[in-house]
Structure formats: C-alpha cells, structure tokens
Amino acid sequence: MLKMYKYRRIAKKIYRILPKYEKMTDEALKEQTNILRSKLLQGKTLADILPDAFAVVIEADKRVLGLMPYYVQILGGIALFFGNIAEIKTGEGKTLVATMPLYTRALLGEKGNFLITANDYLAERDGQSMGEVFKWLNLTVGIGSNYDEQDFEEKRRLYNADIIYTTHSRLGFDYLFDNLGSELDKQVVKKFNFAIIDEIDAVLLDGAQTALVISGSPKVQSNYYQISDWFVKSLRQKDYEYSDDKRRVWVTEGGVTKLRQYFDIQDIYGEQYVDLIRHIVLALQANYLKQRGKDYVVEDGKVLLLDTVNGRKMPGVKMQGGMHQAIETKERVEVTSETKTLGTISYQSLFKQFSRLSGMTGTAKTDKEEFMTTYHLDVIQIPTNIPTQRHDLKDQIYVSNQTKIEESIKSVKKAIGELRPVLIETGSVSMSNLYSLVLLQNRIPHNLLNATTAARENQIINDAGRPMSVTLATSMAGRGTDIKITSEAEQHGGLMVIGTERMTSKRIDNQLRGRAGRQGEPGDSVFFVSLEDKMIVENSPQWVRRTRQRLAKKISENIRIKTAQVTTRRLNNVMDRAQKKFGNAEIQSRKNTLAFDTILSVQRTRIYAARNKVLEEDEHYFEQILSQCVDKVVSNLIVDKKNITVEGVSNFVFNNMQSAYPLNDIKLHVNQDKSKKQIHQFLKNLSNKLIKQSLNRFTDITQAKYFKKVIILRAIDRAWIDQLDYLQQLKNMVTDRGMAQHKPINEFGREARNRFFEMKNKIFLDIYRSLLLSELKTNQDGSIDIEFP
Ligand code: ADP
Ligand code: MG
C-alpha cells in the first residue's frame, strides 16, 4: 500500500498544476509535446515530467474526446506508468486510462510503445478513438489491425509510430517473421519498450498454453500413426493410467507387456524405437486425453481445434509435434502433413522482452501471487469511481443438474418479467448449446454468443443492456466490451447475471459478475451449482459423492438444499475447494509451460542475436566465423583417434572438402610419425587454402560477401529448425514418460543444452561444407546461382 500512497501524492500534484494547462489555447497545449521532449533532452527524467505530461493528456482528453479522466482513472494511469497491473473494474474506462501513461512513455521518442488488446476489433476501436488524442498532441499512432500484410512500407510505418495499438498475436507473428528474413532493414519490430496489456489476465493466464507458431515446409510423413492408433485402441482400461490431475496418461506394466508382444520388441527404450514410442505416446494422448467436442471438433473430414476457454473454433491452428496427426488418425479422417516449425514463441516470452510491462483488467487480485512470481508484476487495486451497488447473491446449490437447470430458467423468467436484461453464462460450448435448447423450449428468445467473430460479439454485447434482452455466452466471449444498460433497464434493477455453473477459477467468476453493476449501476449476480457439476465431480473428495447420493435419495429431487441447512456451508466450501484444486493444477501447468519455454527462449535469443549479427554484414565478423569454423570442424574430427589415419582423413577430405583431392598428398601428411598436432595443422592449412580458392571464384567482393552471408544464414536456420523440431518432440517425451521420480523439466533442460552444443557443431560443419563444395553458376545477366552440396 506504500505504492498507493505514493501514487495518490502524484495525483495530487497533477491536480495542482492542471489549471495551468486548462487555461492554455489549443495551440499552446499541443506545443507541450515539444516542450516536454526538450526537457527530457536537458536531462529531466520521465518521473520528473510525469505530472505535467499527465496534465497535458488529461486536458487533451477533455478537449478532443469530451471525457475528463476521473481521479481514480488518473491513479490507474500512474500505476500503469510504473509497470503494475492495475485492477480496474469493467466499465470504469480502462481505454481512457491508458492514454496518460502511453503518452508519457512515448515522449522519450524511443519507439516500441504498445497497447496490446485481446482482438483486432478492440485494437481498431480503441486505436481509432484514443488515436485522436495522440495525433492532436503531435504524436503518431499505428493500428495493427488494418494494415495490408503484403505492404511492407505500411507495416514499417506502423511499427515506427510513437504509439501502437495491436493484438498480442500480430505482434508475436511480426516478431517471428522478422527473424526469418535475410535483410536487416526488413525487420519491423525493433523496440520493445513499454506495453500495456489490456485484459492482461485473459492474455497471460487463460491464453498461456497456446504458443505462436510459424510453420513451413512439410516433413516426411511418418507411417507410425496408424499402427500406433490400432495398438492404443486395443488397450484395456487397466493397460493405461492417468495422473491425478488427469492431464497425463501413460501405459501401465500390463500395457508395456502388451506393447512388447504387439510390436515384438524387447528393449522398448532402445534408440531404434524412439520414434515408434513417440507415436504411441501421441496416440495414447489423442485417444484418452483429447476429447471430441471439448478439445476439437470434426467437420468436413477435418479436425478443428477449439479454444478451450471460449470454445471458439480455431481454423488453421494445429497442434504441434504430431499431435494433430494423431487425432486425425484417431478420428479416421485424412491425415494432413506435418510441417516443420520455423519459429515459435510463447506469449510469456514475447512480453518478457519489454523493458517495462504493465497491464489492466477487472480481475487480477485473485491471482496476484502468480502474476508476481511468474511475471514480477504487482497488482494494484484501483477503487471504482462510484461505489458498486451490485448484489452478489449466494450460490444456489442443487443436488442434480436437471433441477439446477430448471430452477435457473425460473430465475431467467422472473428477471424478464421484471423487465430486466439477463446475461447467462456457461462454462463450455456444449453447455451453452444445451441451455440454448432449454431456453427455446421455454420460448425465451435469446442471442447466443459463441464461435462468432469478435465484431459480431461486440454488437450483441452492445445490445445486451435492453430490458428483457437475454444473452447466452461462454465465459470469455465479448471481453473488452461492456454491457451498457438503458435507463429503463436501470429502473427495473439493472442487469441480472446468471452463471449456470461456477467457472474454472474465482477470477473468471468475478469477471462474469463484473458485467453487472458497472459505474455504480444496480445489478445482481448469482451462480447455479449442482453436485453433478463437472468441477465438483472431478475435483472433490469421495464424501461429496456419497452426500450427493444420500441427498438424492432423501430429499425429493425438486427441493433445493436450503441455505439454512448445515450441509450447505460444508458444500459451499466444497465448491471453493474444488475450484482451488483445479486452479492449482492450472497454475502448475502454466508454470511448466513457462519453464520449458524459458529454456527454449535462451536458445532462441542466442540464435536470433547471431542471425542479426550476420545480417549486419560485417566483413570482420564473417572472417571470424570462417576461421572459427575451420578450427572447430578440424578439432572435432581429430578428437576421435580413429579418424587420424590415412583412411579417416581421406574420407573426411573427399566428403567435405574436395572429392578429387590427391590421395598421395594426404598420405604424405598423415602417417605414423606425424603427431596429432601436425595433422591438425595440415588440415587447417588445407582448409584455408581451399576456402581461399573457393572465394576467389568471385571477382566482385560484394558478391563474395553475399556468398558468405547466405551460407552462414542458411546453416543457422537449417540447424535451428531441426532444433525446434527436436525440442518439441523432446518435450512430449519427457512429460509423458510419466514416471513419478524424474523431473521432466530438468531432463529437458539437460538434453536441450547438450543438443544446443551439438547444433553449433552442425552449423559449423554446414558452413564449412557449403564454402568448399558449393557450385557456382553465373547467369547471363551476371548474377550468380549457388548450388549447395
Ligand atoms: P473498461 O475497458 O474499463 O471496461 P471502457 O474503456 O470500455 O471500460 O469504458 C466504458 C465506458 O465509460 C465508455 O463508454 C467510455 O466512454 C466511458 N468513460 C470512460 N471514462 C470516462 C470519463 N472519464 N467520463 C465519462 N465517461 C467515461
Ligand atoms: Mg476495456
């Protein structure tokens, strides 16, 4: 709370100097951008000029948008400026809050200041509206949603803007694409200075498991999918088992015996069976973990993944590492080709690149600890402008699902009767479809929100505040647009939010509740719960099931367990505990993803840095690489005694240097009385001589330079793509051996590191071979084609 004290003092100061800016003409106010910038140039810090900068934006917000930021919004802006997560309730005006810290940070003139939204629609909406203020103050604004992907200049302009409104996935993909190209000045995302992530919990927590992936050319198709699927389908229940959290599955001793028989192999962990075992692991997961309707759907002979949070179909998105193909095999649809990953990054790693990160959302406090430990982000709760009037009613607990649904429909009818708007929220797409049917049976017209576009969703949400309007949605649909109720609806008690089950976390429950009672309006929220809810069934101890059975017998099904009953308090607790248990598993799983990704990230950063260095085309650096290359390749060869024989050396020379090199010369330099050192020297000299010859084929030195650049870059990229592929498979393997003792992450880290060193050697050898064995073909126009070995 020390922070809050500090921020309040800063806010006070802002109010003190505000009148000065209120008196200014438009021209004078616009001129402040230059004045503040020159103060920074004279050595003032951003913190020094913060009060003035904020005051300028506040006044500009008022003049341009007609919105005067409230005191609490200014506090929120300060919290963002200093790199916190500001918890600001839905409808309190987060869009406007962001203008103050964004403007102030952009004054430094370093590019790379972002407002990251959850979807294109919001980037466009907020970038357009708030962009007016920035432009008025002589800053440039880019909007990531509306540029032409093909138009490079436009893309460059976007990232050169002082302030950029875009989505997390666009930023991520552009970053990855930057690092696939071969020219430095074709890179656009240069700076990661400051970012505000809107709806940060949705991006960093709910969306944490999906990484961004750019895939490229198809891989050679494996024929293990079908046979693995057959085998796995032949297993009985006792042949495999699940981890406690049901997120992993592996074969039992019995399963292993069957595996040995089925494939007629003994040593199932032998090198030669790694690929087969990998496919069996995939088939096991595809058949016994992935569920049709929950994880994916099958349409027109295609497997479409579902966003597990909001249930939206994700056409074009594929699971990596062969999982998609394993599911296709399971579902007996045509197996698509596996592609190589050219680049991948998780959102966590992407955002960790920012010098200063901040975020805003209506719901963060419940997950404060995770934000702190994983992202080092503190959560600051900002009070609402007007006290909240919303009533959060007690959970309505029923024994059976059937009764729960019937009773909740009664509540919907009651609210409609009172001329109130109703928002019904379900935990999954299948539940929302079911509810939609029940509503139809009850002749209740409603809008169904799932699997549509964000723009359409926002339209529906916009309409959701009229009296008697009923909106049925999954938990994440339409985030970022608030439901504005009409004054008539307000008179009748405001929005009624009905949750048809408790969601996967308290945070998401709160997000849902927060839809009602915005800006001090009236409203209610209530959750309907049954002891048959998935959350309870899967995450509760035995006695809950027994209680349910007992109650089901004892009381007639139609009676609600009265709030007054003793058991209810115990049961209430059960719901919280089930949610907690589920939540812990989620946190653990996010931690795991992050731990794996951190290891990958270290390697990616080094590879990208090396690439960039090559792109700088520094002759000195090229020379350094080439000489390192010769050194490494030769040393690696003679490490093995076997190789320091005439046969070993000549094999190497013929295969990697020159196929027609005179054997006699080799015999001369490699015989018994030569020391290892002498042979080393011979090979080095020979390499250097031949490299020189190879480079002398170019008459033009820029061409020679280009040749070096191309072969080095190609070697790095080829090795890195293999490495990504390997790491992906390795991750699947270590997480699914499933034996309790070992630590998958440690094993992954160790293997990954070893493989990184091997990769470096591979790169050196690749460069070396390209240098010596590439054929050159001069075209008529003087250009040169390189034919790689
Ligand atoms: P949030 O993102 O916090 O849910 P929005 O940024 O979407 O909220 O804003 C909700 C509504 O409040 C918008 O219609 C906006 O114009 C309005 N609003 C925000 N700040 C102010 C203000 N200071 N004065 C008046 N209206 C405001
Ligand atoms: Mg918003």
Side-chain angles (χ1 to χ4, degrees):
M1 273 305 90
L2 220 61
K3 275 187 180 173
M4 202 54 173
Y5 174 73
K6 183 177 150 199
Y7 299 164
R8 284 186 192 279
R9 280 192 30 191
I10 297 176
K12 245 187 214 151
K13 196 158 173 200
I14 295 172
Y15 276 109
R16 220 167 30 239
I17 57 177
L18 194 55
K20 181 173 119 197
Y21 294 99
E22 285 171 334
K23 286 190 205 95
M24 283 183 187
T25 62
D26 282 1
E27 287 320 305
L29 193 62
K30 287 178 183 192
E31 187 51 28
Q32 295 306 308
T33 301
N34 281 332
I35 294 174
L36 288 169
R37 279 191 160 161
S38 59
K39 280 189 183 161
L40 286 171
L41 285 178
Q42 286 157 21
K44 287 255 187 323
T45 67
L46 273 184
D48 294 336
I49 63 157
L50 185 149
D52 291 280
F54 267 54
V56 169
V57 189
I58 291 167
E59 186 56 23
D61 282 339
K62 199 169 85 190
R63 294 191 197 180
V64 179
L65 303 172
L67 301 173
M68 167 82 190
Y70 302 122
Y71 173 66
V72 287
Q73 286 178 307
I74 295 170
L75 278 182
I78 298 169
L80 291 174
F81 175 88
F82 285 109
N84 302 286
I85 294 178
E87 185 182 271
I88 303 173
K89 297 275 171 262
T90 305
E92 287 290 301
K94 287 187 276 295
T95 319
L96 188 68
V97 169
T99 56
M100 298 170 270
L102 277 174
Y103 171 81
T104 310
R105 290 259 164 217
L107 283 176
L108 268 184
E110 292 171 7
K111 310 291 172 175
N113 304 296
F114 291 86
L115 190 292
I116 309 285
T117 62
N119 60 51
D120 277 343
Y121 168 83
L122 294 171
E124 177 79 24
R125 185 194 72 180
D126 297 350
Q128 292 293 0
S129 54
M130 300 302 120
E132 294 303 318
V133 180
F134 299 126
K135 282 187 225 158
W136 197 84
L137 287 170
N138 297 318
L139 293 186
T140 51
V141 183
I143 300 177
S145 59
N146 58 10
Y147 67 87
D148 176 1
E149 302 267 352
Q150 306 308 319
D151 187 343
F152 176 75
E153 279 313 313
E154 210 176 313
K155 199 161 152 187
R156 192 210 296 278
R157 222 168 353 200
L158 163 74
Y159 284 99
N160 270 335
D162 292 310
I163 293 164
I164 302 148
Y165 280 73
T166 192
T167 65
H168 48 329
S169 60
R170 276 179 193 275
L171 174 64
F173 278 126
D174 285 342
Y175 170 70
L176 289 176
F177 273 119
D178 271 358
N179 289 290
L180 291 175
S182 58
E183 280 165 73
L184 209 53
D185 62 2
K186 281 276 153 72
Q187 295 187 346
V188 286
V189 197
K190 292 258 165 82
K191 286 278 174 74
F192 288 90
N193 255 321
F194 175 62
I196 301 176
I197 307 179
D198 195 10
E199 305 293 344
I200 190 169
D201 58 325
V203 174
L204 288 192
L205 302 185
D206 301 326
Q209 303 293 3
T210 27
L212 292 159
V213 175
I214 294 182
S215 344
S217 52
K219 283 205 302 207
V220 182
Q221 198 65 11
S222 153
N223 47 18
Y224 283 141
Y225 287 113
Q226 190 57 65
I227 190 167
S228 303
D229 193 66
W230 281 328
F231 166 68
V232 162
K233 284 204 168 95
S234 78
L235 292 177
R236 307 259 208 90
Q237 188 96 59
K238 61 178 180 357
D239 297 330
Y240 57 90
E241 63 188 8
Y242 294 95
S243 61
D244 282 346
D245 60 8
K246 292 261 187 340
R247 281 156 196 265
R248 296 192 281 151
V249 60
W250 55 81
V251 285
T252 59
E253 272 304 311
V256 170
T257 309
K258 282 198 175 160
L259 196 156
R260 288 207 172 96
Q261 287 164 355
Y262 196 97
F263 294 98
D264 193 22
I265 51 176
Q266 276 312 306
D267 173 23
I268 60 164
Y269 292 114
E271 260 316 299
Q272 68 271 46
Y273 300 121
V274 167
D275 210 34
L276 173 66
I277 299 297
R278 181 171 80 82
H279 282 82
I280 293 173
V281 168
L282 287 170
L284 207 57
Q285 295 172 339
N287 277 280
Y288 302 125
L289 287 183
K290 302 291 176 193
Q291 295 174 19
R292 190 182 341 161
K294 177 169 159 277
D295 299 299
Y296 63 91
V297 290
V298 180
E299 271 180 20
D300 303 331
K302 286 203 181 72
V303 169
L304 291 181
L305 297 189
L306 296 176
D307 184 324
T308 47
V309 183
N310 59 23
R312 240 179 249 150
K313 285 176 216 149
M314 305 191 285
V317 180
K318 281 189 169 190
M319 270 181 250
Q320 293 298 301
M323 195 58 194
H324 209 86
Q325 287 70 19
I327 294 175
E328 287 167 336
T329 314
K330 166 191 174 189
E331 295 293 341
R332 301 193 169 85
V333 299
E334 195 186 327
V335 177
T336 55
S337 59
E338 249 184 282
T339 49
K340 283 187 176 173
T341 301
L342 301 183
T344 176
I345 190 168
S346 71
Y347 288 120
Q348 292 98 325
S349 303
L350 178 68
F351 289 120
K352 279 193 167 182
Q353 301 190 71
F354 278 95
S355 329
R356 198 176 284 266
L357 187 62
S358 66
M360 45 191 196
T361 171
T363 46
K365 196 72 179 179
T366 45
D367 297 64
K368 186 181 164 84
E369 217 179 282
E370 188 176 357
F371 279 123
M372 186 44 99
T373 51
T374 12
Y375 299 99
H376 308 292
L377 287 169
D378 200 1
V379 176
I380 307 280
Q381 275 181 307
I382 306 294
T384 53
N385 187 42
I386 304 171
T388 315
Q389 277 193 53
R390 189 186 67 228
H391 295 292
D392 295 330
L393 308 178
K394 274 216 184 85
D395 287 356
Q396 309 281 300
I397 305 176
Y398 298 91
V399 179
S400 78
N401 227 336
Q402 176 77 24
T403 334
K404 176 185 89 170
I405 294 176
E406 284 164 10
E407 292 297 316
S408 63
I409 294 288
K410 280 186 200 159
S411 293
V412 175
K413 283 184 173 160
K414 181 163 172 281
I416 297 174
E418 291 165 358
L419 303 180
R420 297 173 66 177
V422 185
L423 175 71
I424 309 170
E425 217 146 320
T426 62
S428 64
V429 183
S430 48
M431 262 312 234
S432 78
N433 287 332
L434 176 70
Y435 253 87
S436 181
L437 275 179
V438 179
L439 287 172
L440 281 177
Q441 280 162 5
N442 282 277
R443 294 173 195 284
I444 302 173
H446 58 278
N447 276 318
L448 181 60
L449 260 198
N450 63 33
T452 45
T453 68
R456 165 103 185 99
E457 271 178 17
N458 286 284
Q459 186 55 44
I460 293 180
I461 294 265
N462 267 327
D463 291 343
R466 285 177 289 109
M468 299 170 71
S469 108
V470 177
T471 310
L472 179 57
T474 46
S475 61
M476 292 295 295
R479 259 228 195 180
T481 321
D482 58 340
I483 298 180
K484 291 192 178 119
I485 57 173
T486 63
S487 60
E488 195 189 348
E490 182 165 357
Q491 280 163 25
H492 294 110
L495 183 68
M496 176 83 202
V497 167
I498 295 178
T500 64
E501 62 196 296
R502 287 274 295 269
M503 304 296 152
T504 48
S505 75
K506 194 146 218 140
R507 175 173 54 80
I508 300 180
D509 288 348
N510 289 342
Q511 187 70 32
L512 173 55
R513 292 191 198 277
R515 291 255 174 211
R518 63 186 272 290
Q519 297 180 1
E521 290 162 354
D524 299 280
S525 77
V526 62
F527 283 90
F528 284 79
V529 171
S530 102
L531 298 184
E532 290 176 346
D533 283 356
K534 193 161 163 281
M535 178 60 76
I536 295 196
V537 172
E538 286 183 2
N539 298 288
S540 294
Q542 280 293 325
W543 70 262
V544 178
R545 184 184 310 170
R546 286 196 296 271
T547 308
R548 177 169 61 79
Q549 284 159 350
R550 189 166 46 81
L551 286 172
K553 252 191 229 139
K554 213 165 104 188
I555 11 175
S556 87
E557 279 265 327
N558 288 327
I559 301 176
R560 209 178 87 208
I561 307 172
K562 293 254 162 42
T563 342
Q565 272 182 308
V566 205
T567 43
T568 311
R569 247 184 75 191
R570 217 173 153 203
L571 285 174
N572 247 331
N573 224 335
V574 159
M575 176 45 85
D576 286 342
R577 283 226 298 272
Q579 218 175 30
K580 187 124 202 170
K581 185 171 167 215
F582 182 84
N584 286 341
E586 291 272 289
I587 291 171
Q588 197 49 46
S589 143
R590 282 197 290 267
K591 271 198 184 136
N592 269 337
T593 310
L594 191 63
F596 280 115
D597 195 68
T598 308
I599 292 168
L600 178 72
S601 209
V602 171
Q603 302 196 359
R604 180 181 42 238
T605 311
R606 287 172 67 176
I607 288 290
Y608 284 2
R611 276 189 109 258
N612 279 343
K613 197 93 175 94
V614 177
L615 298 188
E616 281 169 20
E617 301 185 8
D618 174 5
E619 184 64 43
H620 222 71
Y621 182 62
F622 287 166
E623 287 307 319
Q624 206 180 318
I625 289 189
L626 297 197
S627 95
Q628 233 183 352
C629 183
V630 169
D631 214 39
K632 277 277 176 215
V633 170
V634 173
S635 308
N636 284 339
L637 175 77
I638 63 170
V639 158
D640 193 344
K641 255 209 187 115
K642 253 194 349 271
N643 291 334
I644 344 180
T645 57
V646 172
E647 199 195 346
V649 171
S650 54
N651 268 342
F652 176 80
V653 173
F654 298 156
N655 287 326
N656 301 295
M657 298 167 84
Q658 204 178 71
S659 55
Y661 193 80
L663 185 61
N664 277 342
D665 193 56
I666 297 175
K667 280 184 177 156
L668 195 70
H669 290 95
V670 189
N671 53 37
Q672 264 83 27
D673 53 288
K674 291 283 181 337
S675 71
K676 196 169 173 173
K677 210 167 155 191
Q678 285 170 310
I679 297 172
H680 188 257
Q681 200 54 48
F682 160 66
L683 282 168
K684 258 180 87 166
N685 291 345
L686 182 59
S687 305
N688 287 331
K689 190 178 103 194
L690 294 176
I691 289 175
K692 209 165 183 179
Q693 278 176 16
S694 165
L695 292 173
N696 279 343
R697 290 180 294 177
F698 297 94
T699 41
D700 182 347
I701 71 164
T702 41
Q703 274 180 340
K705 196 173 183 178
Y706 183 71
F707 175 66
K708 289 178 213 162
K709 175 179 160 184
V710 168
I711 60 176
I712 297 172
L713 211 53
R714 179 173 177 272
I716 294 177
D717 288 347
R718 277 164 31 124
W720 177 237
I721 288 167
D722 282 350
Q723 175 79 349
L724 282 178
D725 201 47
Y726 175 77
L727 292 179
Q728 178 69 47
Q729 292 176 16
L730 179 65
K731 185 175 154 189
N732 286 351
M733 289 294 283
V734 297
T735 43
D736 280 273
R737 269 175 222 168
M739 306 305 157
Q741 278 82 9
H742 78 168
K743 282 234 170 177
I745 188 69
N746 293 350
E747 198 168 316
F748 180 80
R750 202 167 39 242
E751 285 278 325
R753 206 168 327 116
N754 289 342
R755 200 57 182 227
F756 191 74
F757 292 116
E758 278 176 38
M759 179 187 72
K760 275 167 83 173
N761 285 330
K762 263 208 293 202
I763 294 176
F764 282 128
L765 185 62
D766 195 356
I767 298 174
Y768 184 89
R769 285 170 52 88
S770 299
L771 268 173
L772 292 172
L773 300 174
S774 290
E775 305 275 349
L776 302 182
K777 258 185 27 210
T778 310
N779 301 319
Q780 298 211 314
D781 62 357
S783 66
I784 295 177
D785 285 345
I786 306 168
E787 274 177 25
F788 292 99

